[in-house]
Amino acid sequence: MGNDLYRKLGAAFLITAALIYTIECVGTLIARSHEFSALYEANLLSFQPKTHIAGFFDNLFVPILTLIGVILFVYGFPKKTK
């Protein structure tokens, strides 16, 4: 019973980390597209937008939640006995 709880908690932490990272990336893409459209309207397409593309370690919660999720998920699997 305890192992199943650890696997579920680990999966929940991993899904939460992935969801936060995905939302951050989608927000970055939306901001970048707004910069592209502003540059297009101003006829300044030779300039590159200065939007920072979000990385995995930019948000502190994503690597922490991933690490906790992996530890809980691995700990949830039963140990082999002889």
Side-chain angles (χ1 to χ4, degrees):
M1 161 103 176
N3 288 341
D4 190 41
L5 177 67
Y6 288 126
R7 281 194 305 248
K8 287 179 182 177
L9 278 175
F13 273 97
L14 289 172
I15 289 170
T16 304
L19 187 64
I20 291 172
Y21 181 69
T22 302
I23 290 171
E24 191 173 358
C25 286
V26 167
T28 302
L29 289 175
I30 290 171
R32 191 168 175 88
S33 69
H34 283 293
E35 284 189 28
F36 269 122
S37 66
L39 289 174
Y40 179 74
E41 289 176 2
N43 289 327
L44 298 172
L45 289 178
S46 61
F47 294 106
Q48 288 292 331
K50 296 182 180 180
T51 306
H52 175 69
I53 303 296
F56 183 76
F57 294 103
D58 287 341
N59 188 346
L60 183 64
F61 292 105
V62 175
I64 290 173
L65 289 174
T66 303
L67 180 66
I68 292 170
V70 167
I71 290 170
L72 286 173
F73 196 72
V74 169
Y75 186 72
F77 284 102
K79 312 226 179 339
K80 293 182 181 180
T81 57
K82 290 184 178 182

